[in-house]
Amino acid sequence: MLRIVLAGICGKMGRAVGRQLIEEDDFEIVGGVDINFVGEDIGNILNLKPMGIYVHNDLETVLKETNPDVLLDFTNPKVVMSNIEIVLKNGINAVIGTTGITEEDVPKIEELSREKGASIIIAPNFSIGALLLMKFAAEAAKYFPDVEIIEYHHDQKLDSPSGTAIKTAELILKNNDIKSTPTGEFEKIPGARGGNLGGIKIHSVRLPGFLAHQEVILGSKGQVLTLRHDSLTRESFFYGINYALRKIKSIKGVVYGLENILD
Ligand code: NAP
C-alpha cells in the first residue's frame, strides 16, 4: 500500500485526483493539506463518505504525523518550491504536479534531494498526449527551426506561460539550433509577440471553456506544421499521476519531466 499525503486537496486538481486515488487498491490517502476548508473531513471534500482524516494547513505537521511514502502536490506555483524544501528536508519522496518549476530550479532541488536521500518526480504535465506532443515537437524542430508555441488554459490558471509550454521550449532548445526572433519588428502593443524563451515565442491564452491545450507551430518556406494536444477533462492526467506514484520508490534523485521515466 502506498501511503499518500495530498497537498492542494481542496483545489480543482486535488479534488479530482483525490477521488480517483481512492479507487486504486494500492493507494491510501493518509493526509490532506490545503489553506481552505481547514478541519473539514477529507471524505466530505471529495464528495465521499467521511474518512476521519481532516484537512490541515501545515504541510510539515502532516508529514511528521503521518510519515507517508510520498507527497503528491497540486498547490500553487508560488508555494511549490517551499513545499519541495519541506518534503525533501523531511526525507520523504514527492511527486510534484504543481507548475512553476523550471530547469533552472533543478540543481537546487538535486542538492535538497541528496541531503536526506529523498527522491522527487516533477511533472509539468501528466498527460501522455502532451508528453508525446513535446517529443514530436523537439523532433520536428530539427527540420523546422522556426517555432512558436500557443498554450490555452482555463481562466483560473495563476501562472503563465504554462509549465508544459516552458518544458516544451526547453526540450526543443536542448536538441536544436532555433532561429531567434525576427529583427526589425516592433510591437505596437507591448507583449503582442508573446514571451520569449531562448528565441521561442510563447503565447498564453486564458479563457473560460478551456482546460489545458497546446499548439506548437513550425513554419518553413511554403509550409506550416501544427502539432496540437487537448486535455478535455482532468482524467487525462490520471494515468501519468498513478504511474509516477508507483514509480517513485524506484527513482533515485530528481526527475524533471515524466517523459524521462516512461517505459
Ligand atoms: P487550484 O484549483 O487553485 O488548487 C490549488 C489548491 O491549493 C487551492 O485550494 C489553493 O488554495 C491551495 N493552496 C494554495 N496555497 C497552498 C499552500 N501553501 N498549502 C496547501 N494548499 C495551498 O489549482 P488547480 O487547477 O488544482 O492546479 C494546481 C496546480 O496543478 C497548478 O500549478 C496547475 O498548473 C497544476 N496542474 C498540473 C497538471 C499536470 O499535469 N502536472 C495538470 C493540471 C494542473 P487557494 O485557492 O486559496 O489559493
Side-chain angles (χ1 to χ4, degrees), residues 8 11-13 34 36 74-75 97-99 123-126 157 237:
K12 291 181 282 301
M13 280 300 288
D34 207 292
N36 298 302
F74 280 104
T75 55
T98 309
T99 49
N125 202 313
F126 282 110
K157 185 166 175 59
F237 305 118

Side-chain angles (χ1 to χ4, degrees), residues 40-233:
E40 187 75 42
D41 190 297
I42 283 170
N44 296 339
I45 296 294
L46 302 180
N47 282 338
L48 302 167
K49 283 187 290 189
M51 293 165 58
I53 304 170
Y54 304 94
V55 178
H56 203 294
N57 61 0
D58 186 65
L59 175 62
E60 188 148 28
T61 305
V62 175
L63 294 178
K64 288 208 153 87
E65 281 178 357
T66 59
N67 191 27
D69 296 308
V70 59
L71 167 74
L72 176 60
D73 192 294
F74 280 104
T75 55
N76 175 319
K78 289 188 184 148
V79 302
V80 63
M81 197 60 198
S82 127
N83 281 2
I84 289 175
E85 283 181 23
I86 292 169
V87 69
L88 294 181
K89 281 186 175 163
N90 278 276
I92 292 167
N93 294 337
V95 171
I96 306 294
T98 309
T99 49
I101 301 295
T102 69
E103 199 105 56
E104 284 175 16
D105 301 310
V106 172
K108 185 181 175 195
I109 298 171
E110 276 171 344
E111 201 181 308
L112 287 164
S113 153
R114 262 194 307 273
E115 271 173 31
K116 291 271 167 81
S119 301
I120 179 163
I121 298 171
I122 302 156
N125 202 313
F126 282 110
S127 97
I128 302 302
L131 300 182
L132 288 173
L133 167 60
M134 290 184 211
K135 197 177 150 121
F136 296 156
E139 184 65 19
K142 287 182 191 160
Y143 309 94
F144 290 78
D146 295 271
V147 188
E148 301 210 4
I149 298 172
I150 309 178
E151 53 94 346
Y152 309 78
H153 278 81
H154 58 84
D155 58 342
Q156 308 290 309
K157 185 166 175 59
L158 295 178
D159 53 328
S160 59
S162 68
T164 309
I166 292 173
K167 187 77 176 93
T168 306
E170 287 173 348
L171 271 180
I172 292 172
L173 289 164
K174 206 171 254 178
N175 301 316
N176 299 293
D177 198 11
I178 291 304
K179 285 199 188 153
S180 53
T181 329
T183 50
E185 65 175 359
F186 72 97
E187 290 175 321
K188 285 193 252 178
I189 300 173
R193 290 284 292 116
N196 185 340
L197 203 158
I200 300 179
K201 292 290 190 186
I202 306 180
H203 312 265
S204 298
V205 178
R206 298 289 175 264
L207 284 172
F210 285 119
L211 179 57
H213 318 253
Q214 179 166 286
E215 283 173 7
V216 179
I217 306 173
L218 305 109
S220 178
K221 281 183 185 157
Q223 56 183 326
V224 172
L225 171 62
T226 303
L227 303 170
R228 181 178 170 111
H229 175 259
D230 299 276
S231 273
L232 301 173
T233 71

